[in-house]
Amino acid sequence: FTSMLTFYYLAALSIAYFTGYILLVFGQPPSKVHEHTPGVLRGLKLLIFALPFVALVAIPIGLLVGLPYKVRQGNWQHIQAERAPVVKEFAMAMAKSLPSNTTVVLGDDASRVQLASAGWQLVNKTVGPVFVETSSLAVGDYVRYLASHFPQFNQIIRDPKSIPKFYRPLGEIQLLQALPKPIYYLEPSFGSFFERFSLKPAGLVFELTSLQPMALLPPPLTDADVAANLKIWNQITSSLSNLPRLAKNNNDASLIAAQTSRAANYLGVVLERENHLKEANTAFTYALNLNPKNVMAQLNQQFNANLRAGNSKSVEASEDLLDESKRYGWQGLLSIDGPTDEPGLASQFGQLIAGTGCLRQASEYFLRILALHPNDVDAQLAMAKTYVDMDNADEGLKIVQQARTHATAANADEITRVEALAYMAKQDFARAESLLKTAAAKNDNGTGSRLGTLADFYRMRGYNDLRNGRTTDSKTQFNNALTILDQQLRWLAAPDRVGTSASDTADVLMRKSEIQMQLGAYDAAIVSLDKSLDLQSENPRALLNRAIAKLQSGKYDDAKHDYLQLEKLLPTPSYAVYYGLGEIASKTSDRNAAIRNFKKYLKYAPENSDEAKQVRDRLQKLEHGA
């Protein structure tokens, strides 16, 4: 193995050295031969002289014969796996999937981008497209480099000096939209790019295509696209058929097997969503042939069997899938094995992706569930909420009304909440408030959560008024929120209340303290946070808020104590802690401590934030004695 080369070299040198030493000592004839040297001694010298040469032959034979068969076979398999040209074959397979007129090739993984570039040179022996790492597109220096070296970028970036130090996601998207087509992506991916683009499977790679404005789903594959993809994948699996065997003994082969399997699984999900069930099953088979451990492909193929049998019921998650989800997390599993089309898991992924702000991509999952189960209320409400977040409240309200026709009592509160959010988005605050107040007036086990939702309504209205310069109105709304939160706390503290936990009360106290801080009532916020921390003594968010409240109210020693306690509590350094400690040191004229803590802040804070810029200016003044 490559990792053992140093050992091999040292072993060879040692053998040569010791053999030479023995030859030096015993191999030269003595200057004076004694005719009467005993035969036993002459035999011993001969044996010592011959011993290294015997060892060179005997030891390898002994190891070969003496080692157990499984060990010998395992070593041989390792050697064969290391010698297999699997990396080269993978690079060439990617290159063969790229059309000759490709202008730009994007990839999330730097090593895969380099492999694809090398594969292109091997297959086409031309300069070809620009191979770009997507993680670097946000860096101005990298974009300037591309603009100065490649005409694809130079023709759309006329003034490289105008490029900002860092691109925001919208800037990256606008850059990609302006590039000459076609553009290809090396792996199935998700993120901010794919709010405006979709990935069209094209063998081992994907064509990056712009979506129409307001489009939620990508255009379907044509029959010719389906046939072409399956033909290419048949060739890929044939050329890489030894991957699963090699993956057992070769890390490179293992990674390549996972990546190719992920791409085939992605194709299967696309085909299944477009009702090409038989072809989807073929794609899932390809995925599992390449990587039998792909738990997403396993789940998808089981669900595909259900669909082909005429039912769309969910498939129970296997133990392997649950273990993998614990090991990597759902988002990590999505990156490793690819997406799923199984409704139960699709709902989780949709919620996960919506939480990152990728609403269009989340809607693909919710709409797929509704295509399979039109009366799934949870999916309807998730899609309605997604529409509201996408500033399309009218579509959200339509789905809410559909959900009401077959909802149960268990869905009633969420329907009211989503409907109220839709009316808020339409600036119909009176109707939203009426819905929430009517719901909160009901007296049952859900009263507490409905009061919390009403308090959130007033809090959101307060922030909305504040953003629009209506300071007096915002204070009114914040005070309304405090009144409802006090009502919620009394409801939670009722002697006959069943199921109330300390965490429930602590959470309400936290929300109350945040509104009090917004109103500048720092002493009142400290009281609320003291009560919250009595219930949850190691809540980092509560401890940070109390430290801020104490700092704002001039209780510098107490604030410093909370910040230092928080620093010990957190598993990794937090720039918020060092900002607070720097502020305290600055307020108490401790110049050295302020410099020390602001330097720590800059070490961990986002580099290009407005706050970081202000801290740099302050630090510069402090270091110059100001």
Side-chain angles (χ1 to χ4, degrees):
F1 310 112
T2 304
S3 59
M4 294 293 287
L5 277 178
T6 305
F7 173 79
Y8 296 152
Y9 293 151
L10 290 175
L13 286 171
S14 298
I15 290 171
Y17 174 80
F18 291 121
T19 300
Y21 185 80
I22 292 171
L23 289 173
L24 177 67
V25 174
F26 298 101
Q28 293 180 355
S31 57
K32 184 178 180 181
V33 179
H34 297 280
E35 295 179 0
H36 301 291
T37 301
V40 173
L41 184 57
R42 289 199 302 273
L44 181 59
K45 286 185 176 181
L46 182 61
L47 177 62
I48 294 173
F49 178 76
L51 187 60
F53 301 99
V54 173
L56 286 172
V57 176
I59 290 176
I61 294 175
L63 287 173
L64 185 63
V65 175
L67 285 175
Y69 172 78
K70 287 186 177 179
V71 175
R72 297 200 309 271
Q73 185 69 12
N75 287 341
W76 177 248
Q77 289 174 352
H78 275 285
I79 292 169
Q80 290 293 93
E82 290 287 345
R83 293 178 60 189
V86 64
V87 175
K88 179 179 178 181
E89 291 172 354
F90 177 58
M92 293 177 70
M94 283 192 289
K96 289 176 182 177
S97 292
L98 292 168
S100 59
N101 64 338
T102 304
T103 61
V104 177
V105 177
L106 304 169
D108 296 337
D109 179 62
S111 60
R112 187 163 180 170
V113 172
Q114 293 166 3
L115 277 178
S117 178
W120 180 277
Q121 297 299 323
L122 286 170
V123 173
N124 300 288
K125 296 180 173 58
T126 62
V127 175
V130 186
F131 289 84
V132 177
E133 298 172 29
T134 56
S135 59
S136 299
L137 272 180
V139 181
D141 287 342
Y142 183 68
V143 177
R144 272 187 287 275
Y145 162 79
L146 293 173
S148 63
H149 286 76
F150 303 103
Q152 293 93 324
F153 285 83
N154 181 261
Q155 64 186 345
I156 63 171
I157 301 174
R158 300 298 183 186
D159 182 13
K161 293 181 180 178
S162 66
I163 296 172
K165 187 173 184 181
F166 294 100
Y167 267 109
R168 296 186 183 276
L170 183 58
E172 295 176 73
I173 290 169
Q174 290 172 339
L175 181 66
L176 293 179
Q177 287 174 329
L179 285 171
K181 307 298 185 291
I183 302 173
Y184 280 81
Y185 222 93
L186 291 177
E187 59 263 288
S189 188
F190 55 92
S192 58
F193 287 176
F194 305 102
E195 291 298 283
R196 305 292 183 89
F197 297 96
S198 66
L199 290 174
K200 179 182 177 182
L204 199 52
V205 298
F206 304 83
E207 185 178 0
L208 191 72
T209 59
S210 296
L211 288 165
Q212 294 297 318
M214 304 303 293
L216 297 182
L217 299 177
L221 299 177
T222 65
D223 290 342
D225 292 331
V226 174
N229 269 284
L230 293 179
K231 181 180 179 180
I232 295 172
W233 272 104
N234 185 50
Q235 295 169 352
I236 291 169
T237 52
S238 296
S239 64
L240 299 176
S241 60
N242 57 349
L243 264 182
R245 176 177 59 81
L246 296 175
K248 297 176 182 178
N249 302 297
N250 183 314
N251 287 335
D252 289 336
S254 178
L255 288 171
I256 291 169
Q259 290 181 2
T260 50
S261 177
R262 174 189 175 193
N265 178 58
Y266 184 94
L267 172 63
V269 168
V270 171
L271 292 171
E272 189 164 276
R273 286 176 177 176
E274 296 176 7
N275 209 34
H276 298 286
L277 300 184
K278 181 180 177 182
E279 293 82 356
N281 179 58
T282 301
F284 295 138
T285 300
Y286 286 149
L288 291 170
N289 286 343
L290 291 162
N291 178 22
K293 295 180 180 179
N294 187 327
V295 292
M296 286 298 187
Q298 293 171 11
L299 184 72
N300 286 334
Q301 192 165 57
Q302 292 173 30
F303 182 63
N304 179 270
N306 283 354
L307 289 179
R308 285 183 288 121
N311 71 72
S312 57
K313 66 179 181 181
S314 293
V315 176
E316 186 175 351
S318 67
E319 289 296 326
D320 287 342
L321 188 146
L322 295 175
D323 290 342
E324 292 291 284
S325 69
K326 291 176 184 176
R327 182 179 178 185
Y328 299 109
W330 288 118
Q331 190 164 343
L333 195 56
L334 186 61
S335 299
I336 294 168
D337 285 350
T340 184
D341 194 44
E342 194 279 323
L345 201 52
S347 176
Q348 293 186 48
F349 279 148
Q351 299 286 358
L352 175 71
I353 294 172
T356 67
C358 296
L359 301 174
R360 189 206 67 79
Q361 293 159 82
S363 70
E364 286 194 62
Y365 284 96
F366 300 141
L367 291 173
R368 174 56 176 164
I369 297 169
L370 291 174
L372 294 166
H373 304 131
N375 293 333
D376 187 317
V377 178
D378 290 334
Q380 287 177 316
L381 293 176
M383 191 62 231
K385 174 67 166 55
T386 303
Y387 272 128
V388 171
D389 290 339
M390 295 173 76
D391 296 325
N392 194 347
D394 289 333
E395 286 298 322
L397 285 171
K398 286 180 185 178
I399 296 185
V400 168
Q401 298 311 318
Q402 293 171 15
R404 281 193 183 280
T405 61
H406 48 266
T408 64
N411 307 121
D413 289 345
E414 183 63 8
I415 286 177
T416 300
R417 187 184 77 86
V418 175
E419 188 175 13
L421 287 172
Y423 283 118
M424 283 182 68
K426 289 169 66 67
Q427 303 292 303
D428 191 346
F429 297 114
R431 190 160 184 178
E433 182 178 18
S434 175
L435 282 168
L436 294 173
K437 288 178 74 173
T438 301
K442 299 176 184 176
N443 188 14
D444 56 32
N445 287 336
T447 300
S449 63
R450 291 193 292 273
L451 287 168
T453 301
L454 180 58
D456 275 343
F457 164 78
Y458 288 124
R459 179 182 61 82
M460 291 167 68
R461 280 209 61 187
Y463 282 117
N464 183 69
D465 288 336
L466 197 60
R467 282 192 298 270
N468 289 287
R470 297 189 291 269
T471 306
T472 302
D473 291 341
S474 71
K475 288 181 179 180
T476 300
Q477 299 301 334
F478 285 138
N479 281 313
N480 287 341
L482 289 176
T483 300
I484 300 301
L485 287 172
D486 283 334
Q487 190 177 339
Q488 187 180 9
L489 286 169
R490 289 193 295 272
W491 185 87
L492 288 169
D496 59 344
R497 189 67 54 230
V498 177
T500 298
S501 67
S503 63
D504 293 333
T505 303
D507 181 63
V508 176
L509 288 164
M510 270 286 300
R511 287 189 286 140
K512 180 179 177 181
S513 70
E514 288 170 355
I515 296 173
Q516 289 168 326
M517 289 170 70
Q518 182 62 49
L519 290 168
Y522 295 109
D523 289 336
I526 292 169
V527 172
S528 297
L529 288 163
D530 284 343
K531 293 178 181 178
S532 180
L533 285 163
D534 285 343
L535 297 169
Q536 290 183 322
S537 60
E538 294 190 347
N539 185 323
R541 184 175 150 209
L543 199 55
L544 175 62
N545 282 359
R546 189 172 70 176
I548 293 170
K550 288 177 177 178
L551 171 59
Q552 293 296 329
S553 61
K555 298 178 173 65
Y556 299 131
D557 288 340
D558 291 343
K560 183 177 180 180
H561 178 270
D562 278 353
Y563 277 121
L564 292 174
Q565 186 180 345
L566 182 61
E567 183 181 28
K568 293 178 182 177
L569 181 64
L570 294 173
T572 56
S574 167
Y575 61 86
V577 169
Y578 300 119
Y579 182 86
L581 290 172
E583 278 287 331
I584 292 168
S586 183
K587 297 279 187 187
T588 56
S589 302
D590 189 344
R591 179 170 164 269
N592 291 333
I595 291 172
R596 183 173 65 253
N597 284 295
F598 283 145
K599 282 183 175 180
K600 286 183 179 180
Y601 167 88
L602 292 173
K603 181 178 179 181
Y604 299 108
E607 185 179 352
N608 58 334
S609 68
D610 291 338
E611 186 180 74
K613 293 173 185 175
Q614 293 171 5
V615 170
R616 280 192 206 95
D617 292 341
R618 293 179 64 184
L619 183 60
Q620 191 174 18
K621 291 176 181 178
L622 285 166
E623 288 178 329
H624 287 83

